[in-house]
Amino acid sequence: MKKVLFASTALVLSAGVASADGVTITGEAGFGITSTAGTTTIGNYLEYFIGASVATDSGITVGASSDLATAGAAGDSHDREVYMSYEGLKLSVGNISNAADDAGIADVGYGGLGVDNVAEGAVTYGGADVRVDYSFGDWAVAVSADSGNGAGQDDWAIGFSGSISGVSIFLGLDDNSGVQGTAIGLGYSAGAVSVAASYEKAGAANSSGVSVAYTSGDVTVTAAYAQSTAAANDAYGIGVSYDLGGATLDGGFAEVGGASVMDLGINFTF
């Protein structure tokens, strides 16, 4: 959910030849306390997601998006994306996600304690500023590339996703300046239980992880485990989320990188 009002591009959105679908502004915010190896910090984050689109007379949708993060949000950015779509086909240009980077597990805690980062640590994904997505029924394929890598070997990636009998499947292939990586993801939900698993490999490096979540009433408990050849220790953790009605109270405990990490905080969207 990363969409915007502005873009320096050859696409011109003219009210005379298109109808505006409107502008959306949403966001997320939170605050909490984190303890890492005995060091305690208090933090917060705030991020806005802005999007706009128009529908041309020929049925093509043209849009733009951006996410605006404040200084308190991890990974502050102003990711800009401009896109055009028709039925199941979409072309995106800008600061966009790598097509192969979509396998992963659930993290635990208020802000994410990093267990999932260990599971997703084998592949260093290449950049992407052009992406094509095509969806058909329960399946989708995506191709992305970095048109300006400048190192003589442009980054590219392919992602394929779908579902069979309630099981979600993802396969990604990535080439980052000649270094190739593979990512596999699986997911399944049945009633109150959801499970996710991932595996990555790049050269001699590999990483994997699994997470299980169980919901009862307003409470969701999530457990996660991950390993990586790049990490000296396996990572594991457990988290609890309580639905306050409009916000959640989230906390967790994990062992990551040989250190104990815990947090507690409030998250909400608007």
Side-chain angles (χ1 to χ4, degrees), residues 49-60:
F49 308 107
I50 307 172
S53 64
V54 296
T56 68
D57 292 344
S58 58
I60 297 174

Side-chain angles (χ1 to χ4, degrees), residues 26-52:
T26 60
E28 60 184 23
F31 64 92
I33 184 171
T34 302
S35 176
T36 304
T39 300
T40 300
T41 58
I42 297 176
N44 67 88
Y45 72 97
L46 171 62
E47 190 164 11
Y48 296 98
F49 308 107
I50 307 172

